[in-house]
Amino acid sequence: MWKFASNSWSAGSGQMRPRQLQATADSELAVIGMLIVWTSFVFVVFPKLDLAVARLFAHGHAFWLVENPRLKAVRDIARQSQPYIVGAMAVTVVLHVFLPRRLRFCPPHKPLFVLLSFAAGPLLIVQTLKVAIGRVRPRDLIEFGGTADFTPVWQFSGACSRNCSFPSGEAAAAAAALSLLILVPARHRWIAAAIMVPCSLFVAFNRVIFGAHFLSDVMLGWLLTMFAMAMIWRWIGANSRAIDRYVTRLMFK
């Protein structure tokens, strides 16, 4: 994520040619795409791996860490911060329309990238797949005191009609939050990434600890969002100047 985010800095200063940007974006898409394929392959070939990981955090029929105050705080902070992030980015884009010269340190294509990342991952991809796949959450399985049967990842199931397990929306949101790295100055971006990426992964895995999602739910929710972000950046990185000019000129139309 931070790799293609850092390219925006060079692109904006004219140091990177469009062909170089496209080649870099294509290589990133290929890497993330292969991670999605191989992760899916492992969990399809070894479906019981999801159950084995879930059992690590279950004592009998109860997930024993579900009431842990520190883990609950991590989830609450992650969930409650999302509206503020989206709202702040939307306000920043709007301010560029009315105060185009006051926010030169943050060109509009950057907050737009954050907004599109949250729209594509946690909303479009996650909600579409939840309805289409209909996978039951671990805590609702017979193995953990529920009434539903286990189904492997990517297997269509009618057992769940709403708020289903695959993929994890909170894992997708944790991945989308990494788009904020684009707002960090280039010289500090690797340091910020070293802090944010582990935090993002922990927020995602927290859902497995609570018995709310399988490991495959959070891994693929995270990776699918990263893939969507790479695709979005492929377009934004190649058109950043045009996007900035268009937004800042809206006021005068």
Side-chain angles (χ1 to χ4, degrees):
M1 166 62 212
W2 59 90
K3 182 180 177 182
F4 61 77
S6 65
N7 291 339
S8 68
W9 206 264
S10 300
S13 60
Q15 295 176 9
M16 210 166 187
R17 296 178 180 178
R19 289 184 180 180
Q20 291 176 304
L21 281 170
Q22 185 173 356
T24 302
D26 288 344
S27 65
E28 289 161 351
L29 281 168
V31 170
I32 301 172
M34 287 302 299
L35 287 173
I36 292 171
V37 170
W38 279 108
T39 300
S40 299
F41 175 79
V42 169
F43 284 101
V44 168
V45 175
F46 305 103
K48 299 300 182 182
L49 179 59
D50 268 331
L51 287 174
V53 174
R55 288 192 182 100
L56 294 176
F57 305 100
H59 183 71
H61 288 163
F63 286 86
W64 53 282
L65 286 172
V66 72
E67 296 298 330
N68 184 286
R70 293 184 179 86
L71 296 179
K72 290 176 70 175
V74 168
R75 188 195 181 206
D76 290 341
I77 292 171
R79 293 185 67 185
Q80 294 170 10
S81 65
Q82 293 172 34
Y84 293 100
I85 293 172
V86 172
M89 295 301 103
V91 168
T92 303
V93 173
V94 172
L95 286 176
H96 270 286
V97 177
F98 297 100
L99 302 170
R101 297 180 180 180
R102 298 289 181 89
L103 299 173
R104 290 182 178 178
F105 64 92
C106 181
H109 74 272
K110 293 186 177 184
L112 180 62
F113 173 60
V114 178
L115 288 173
L116 291 177
S117 296
F118 276 92
L123 288 180
L124 182 60
I125 294 175
V126 168
Q127 298 308 319
T128 300
L129 288 176
K130 278 182 180 289
V131 174
I133 302 296
R135 192 185 197 190
V136 174
R137 295 177 183 269
R139 61 193 178 200
D140 296 323
L141 298 181
I142 295 173
E143 288 89 341
F144 304 109
T147 58
D149 293 321
F150 171 79
T151 55
V153 69
W154 293 116
Q155 179 175 311
F156 293 96
S157 169
C160 175
S161 58
R162 59 183 298 274
N163 196 25
C164 304
S165 188
F166 176 76
S168 168
E170 291 182 42
L178 294 178
S179 61
L180 293 171
L181 286 169
I182 201 173
L183 305 176
V184 179
R187 63 183 179 276
H188 301 309
R189 201 163 291 159
W190 280 100
I191 298 174
I195 297 171
M196 291 180 65
V197 172
C199 290
S200 173
L201 292 172
F202 182 74
V203 168
F205 188 73
N206 202 23
R207 304 301 288 146
V208 178
I209 296 173
F210 281 178
H213 288 285
F214 295 105
L215 181 60
S216 58
D217 295 335
V218 299
M219 290 183 67
L220 288 170
W222 203 87
L223 287 170
L224 288 168
T225 301
M226 292 294 291
F227 187 83
M229 291 163 66
M231 290 187 65
I232 293 167
W233 185 251
R234 187 180 187 275
W235 173 73
I236 286 184
N239 299 280
S240 58
R241 292 181 178 178
I243 293 170
D244 294 344
R245 286 196 300 268
Y246 178 78
V247 172
T248 54
R249 289 177 182 176
L250 283 176
M251 179 181 177
F252 305 103
K253 290 187 178 181

